[in-house]
Amino acid sequence: MNDLDLMSLLSTSFHTLVDKLHERLTELGFHDIRPVHGYIFKYIALHEGATGIELADHLGITKQAVSKIVDYLEENDYVLRKPHPTDKRGKIIVLTERGQLAIETKEKILNEIEQHLIENLGAKRMQMMKDDLENVIRKT
């Protein structure tokens, strides 16, 4: 693998970690969650609810696509559409108790994955890698 360029290494490592996350989520009863759902959950949690238009803008997809994803998440008890507090015609999408539990479970799994990496790479190298990646984000 040492002949892979930086973008390939970053992309492959990201997908490997996401796959591991979803394997563990499946083991813990969240077999119906896909990676895109995590982006929706995170946005809703950060903003204490969101409209379909806000989610579409955030994800860079159509409102119709968001509507289908939200339908799926609502059918599986992760989100709920409620009347919008300021727009009488609108709806706001909020997390249910199961949706919040999914986020909490994801955080625990990510901590487990990070601990596993620390055990394999060492705490110092792990911190250096995190610092380096933060610098890439800030300076790009």
Side-chain angles (χ1 to χ4, degrees):
M1 263 209 211
N2 54 357
D3 59 340
L4 291 177
D5 60 87
L6 177 63
M7 293 297 277
S8 297
L9 286 168
L10 290 170
S11 175
T12 302
S13 61
F14 173 76
H15 288 290
T16 299
L17 294 174
V18 168
D19 289 348
K20 184 64 178 169
L21 168 65
H22 282 272
E23 285 173 20
R24 291 286 292 127
L25 283 168
T26 296
E27 290 169 7
L28 296 171
F30 297 100
H31 63 280
D32 46 3
I33 294 178
R34 304 291 172 259
V36 70
H37 302 152
Y39 295 108
I40 289 175
F41 293 163
K42 186 173 186 173
Y43 189 89
I44 292 171
L46 283 173
H47 298 90
E48 297 181 9
T51 65
I53 292 171
E54 291 168 337
L55 290 173
D57 288 345
H58 175 67
L59 296 172
I61 60 177
T62 65
K63 188 174 180 254
Q64 292 79 7
V66 165
S67 183
K68 287 183 179 185
I69 295 169
V70 170
D71 287 346
Y72 175 85
L73 292 173
E74 193 169 35
E75 289 167 12
N76 289 283
D77 195 33
Y78 290 106
V79 300
L80 180 66
R81 287 178 174 104
K82 294 173 52 174
H84 195 283
T86 59
D87 179 358
K88 299 241 186 247
R89 295 178 296 151
K91 297 281 184 188
I92 190 162
I93 302 151
V94 297
L95 294 171
T96 62
E97 195 172 307
R98 180 168 169 78
Q100 188 60 45
L101 181 60
I103 289 176
E104 292 166 9
T105 303
K106 176 206 70 156
E107 291 300 322
K108 288 178 186 171
I109 295 168
L110 291 178
N111 285 332
E112 290 172 8
I113 290 171
E114 188 165 331
Q115 285 304 309
H116 177 75
L117 289 171
I118 288 169
E119 290 168 12
N120 286 287
L121 299 174
K124 185 176 179 179
R125 283 188 68 196
M126 183 65 169
Q127 190 58 53
M128 288 171 59
M129 181 172 58
K130 288 172 73 173
D131 292 344
D132 289 343
L133 290 171
E134 286 178 10
N135 280 331
V136 168
I137 293 167
R138 279 195 300 271
K139 295 182 180 181
T140 311

PDB file of all heavy atoms in Angstrom, residues 47-60:
ATOM      1  N   HIS A  47     -28.428  21.482  15.551  1.00  0.00           N
ATOM      2  CA  HIS A  47     -29.360  22.594  15.376  1.00  0.00           C
ATOM      3  C   HIS A  47     -30.690  22.385  16.102  1.00  0.00           C
ATOM      4  O   HIS A  47     -31.618  23.171  15.931  1.00  0.00           O
ATOM      5  CB  HIS A  47     -29.599  22.838  13.883  1.00  0.00           C
ATOM      6  CG  HIS A  47     -28.354  23.226  13.164  1.00  0.00           C
ATOM      7  ND1 HIS A  47     -27.506  22.307  12.582  1.00  0.00           N
ATOM      8  CD2 HIS A  47     -27.775  24.431  12.957  1.00  0.00           C
ATOM      9  CE1 HIS A  47     -26.489  22.931  12.033  1.00  0.00           C
ATOM     10  NE2 HIS A  47     -26.616  24.224  12.263  1.00  0.00           N
ATOM     11  N   GLU A  48     -30.763  21.304  16.872  1.00  0.00           N
ATOM     12  CA  GLU A  48     -31.991  20.967  17.607  1.00  0.00           C
ATOM     13  C   GLU A  48     -33.201  20.927  16.681  1.00  0.00           C
ATOM     14  O   GLU A  48     -34.276  21.423  17.007  1.00  0.00           O
ATOM     15  CB  GLU A  48     -32.198  21.937  18.773  1.00  0.00           C
ATOM     16  CG  GLU A  48     -31.080  21.843  19.792  1.00  0.00           C
ATOM     17  CD  GLU A  48     -31.277  22.783  20.964  1.00  0.00           C
ATOM     18  OE1 GLU A  48     -32.351  23.387  21.092  1.00  0.00           O
ATOM     19  OE2 GLU A  48     -30.336  22.895  21.764  1.00  0.00           O
ATOM     20  N   GLY A  49     -33.003  20.303  15.525  1.00  0.00           N
ATOM     21  CA  GLY A  49     -34.058  20.162  14.528  1.00  0.00           C
ATOM     22  C   GLY A  49     -33.640  20.831  13.235  1.00  0.00           C
ATOM     23  O   GLY A  49     -32.737  21.670  13.218  1.00  0.00           O
ATOM     24  N   ALA A  50     -34.276  20.424  12.146  1.00  0.00           N
ATOM     25  CA  ALA A  50     -33.945  20.998  10.847  1.00  0.00           C
ATOM     26  C   ALA A  50     -35.117  20.832   9.899  1.00  0.00           C
ATOM     27  O   ALA A  50     -35.921  19.911  10.050  1.00  0.00           O
ATOM     28  CB  ALA A  50     -32.711  20.317  10.263  1.00  0.00           C
ATOM     29  N   THR A  51     -35.191  21.711   8.925  1.00  0.00           N
ATOM     30  CA  THR A  51     -36.185  21.562   7.865  1.00  0.00           C
ATOM     31  C   THR A  51     -35.581  20.701   6.759  1.00  0.00           C
ATOM     32  O   THR A  51     -34.361  20.500   6.686  1.00  0.00           O
ATOM     33  CB  THR A  51     -36.585  22.928   7.279  1.00  0.00           C
ATOM     34  OG1 THR A  51     -35.444  23.494   6.629  1.00  0.00           O
ATOM     35  CG2 THR A  51     -37.111  23.866   8.361  1.00  0.00           C
ATOM     36  N   GLY A  52     -36.439  20.212   5.880  1.00  0.00           N
ATOM     37  CA  GLY A  52     -35.959  19.446   4.745  1.00  0.00           C
ATOM     38  C   GLY A  52     -35.044  20.267   3.860  1.00  0.00           C
ATOM     39  O   GLY A  52     -34.038  19.760   3.345  1.00  0.00           O
ATOM     40  N   ILE A  53     -35.364  21.533   3.695  1.00  0.00           N
ATOM     41  CA  ILE A  53     -34.531  22.415   2.865  1.00  0.00           C
ATOM     42  C   ILE A  53     -33.145  22.583   3.495  1.00  0.00           C
ATOM     43  O   ILE A  53     -32.124  22.536   2.795  1.00  0.00           O
ATOM     44  CB  ILE A  53     -35.216  23.785   2.665  1.00  0.00           C
ATOM     45  CG1 ILE A  53     -36.466  23.611   1.800  1.00  0.00           C
ATOM     46  CG2 ILE A  53     -34.261  24.800   2.063  1.00  0.00           C
ATOM     47  CD1 ILE A  53     -37.345  24.846   1.707  1.00  0.00           C
ATOM     48  N   GLU A  54     -33.085  22.752   4.800  1.00  0.00           N
ATOM     49  CA  GLU A  54     -31.791  22.886   5.476  1.00  0.00           C
ATOM     50  C   GLU A  54     -30.949  21.618   5.299  1.00  0.00           C
ATOM     51  O   GLU A  54     -29.748  21.692   5.037  1.00  0.00           O
ATOM     52  CB  GLU A  54     -31.991  23.177   6.962  1.00  0.00           C
ATOM     53  CG  GLU A  54     -32.555  24.556   7.235  1.00  0.00           C
ATOM     54  CD  GLU A  54     -33.017  24.740   8.678  1.00  0.00           C
ATOM     55  OE1 GLU A  54     -33.320  23.741   9.371  1.00  0.00           O
ATOM     56  OE2 GLU A  54     -33.088  25.913   9.100  1.00  0.00           O
ATOM     57  N   LEU A  55     -31.595  20.463   5.426  1.00  0.00           N
ATOM     58  CA  LEU A  55     -30.868  19.205   5.251  1.00  0.00           C
ATOM     59  C   LEU A  55     -30.397  19.039   3.805  1.00  0.00           C
ATOM     60  O   LEU A  55     -29.273  18.595   3.567  1.00  0.00           O
ATOM     61  CB  LEU A  55     -31.736  18.014   5.674  1.00  0.00           C
ATOM     62  CG  LEU A  55     -32.006  17.899   7.166  1.00  0.00           C
ATOM     63  CD1 LEU A  55     -33.006  16.784   7.443  1.00  0.00           C
ATOM     64  CD2 LEU A  55     -30.716  17.669   7.939  1.00  0.00           C
ATOM     65  N   ALA A  56     -31.244  19.400   2.855  1.00  0.00           N
ATOM     66  CA  ALA A  56     -30.866  19.305   1.437  1.00  0.00           C
ATOM     67  C   ALA A  56     -29.662  20.199   1.148  1.00  0.00           C
ATOM     68  O   ALA A  56     -28.717  19.769   0.473  1.00  0.00           O
ATOM     69  CB  ALA A  56     -32.052  19.678   0.544  1.00  0.00           C
ATOM     70  N   ASP A  57     -29.685  21.413   1.657  1.00  0.00           N
ATOM     71  CA  ASP A  57     -28.554  22.328   1.475  1.00  0.00           C
ATOM     72  C   ASP A  57     -27.295  21.770   2.117  1.00  0.00           C
ATOM     73  O   ASP A  57     -26.209  21.806   1.533  1.00  0.00           O
ATOM     74  CB  ASP A  57     -28.861  23.709   2.065  1.00  0.00           C
ATOM     75  CG  ASP A  57     -29.868  24.500   1.246  1.00  0.00           C
ATOM     76  OD1 ASP A  57     -30.127  24.122   0.083  1.00  0.00           O
ATOM     77  OD2 ASP A  57     -30.401  25.492   1.782  1.00  0.00           O
ATOM     78  N   HIS A  58     -27.437  21.245   3.321  1.00  0.00           N
ATOM     79  CA  HIS A  58     -26.292  20.696   4.053  1.00  0.00           C
ATOM     80  C   HIS A  58     -25.670  19.510   3.313  1.00  0.00           C
ATOM     81  O   HIS A  58     -24.444  19.396   3.229  1.00  0.00           O
ATOM     82  CB  HIS A  58     -26.728  20.280   5.461  1.00  0.00           C
ATOM     83  CG  HIS A  58     -25.667  19.603   6.256  1.00  0.00           C
ATOM     84  ND1 HIS A  58     -24.531  20.251   6.690  1.00  0.00           N
ATOM     85  CD2 HIS A  58     -25.558  18.321   6.689  1.00  0.00           C
ATOM     86  CE1 HIS A  58     -23.768  19.399   7.362  1.00  0.00           C
ATOM     87  NE2 HIS A  58     -24.369  18.225   7.366  1.00  0.00           N
ATOM     88  N   LEU A  59     -26.503  18.631   2.782  1.00  0.00           N
ATOM     89  CA  LEU A  59     -26.010  17.426   2.118  1.00  0.00           C
ATOM     90  C   LEU A  59     -25.687  17.625   0.646  1.00  0.00           C
ATOM     91  O   LEU A  59     -25.042  16.779   0.031  1.00  0.00           O
ATOM     92  CB  LEU A  59     -27.039  16.303   2.258  1.00  0.00           C
ATOM     93  CG  LEU A  59     -27.314  15.821   3.678  1.00  0.00           C
ATOM     94  CD1 LEU A  59     -28.489  14.865   3.695  1.00  0.00           C
ATOM     95  CD2 LEU A  59     -26.077  15.167   4.266  1.00  0.00           C
ATOM     96  N   GLY A  60     -26.181  18.732   0.084  1.00  0.00           N
ATOM     97  CA  GLY A  60     -25.962  18.976  -1.334  1.00  0.00           C
ATOM     98  C   GLY A  60     -26.781  18.066  -2.231  1.00  0.00           C
ATOM     99  O   GLY A  60     -26.333  17.668  -3.299  1.00  0.00           O
TER     100      GLY A  60
END
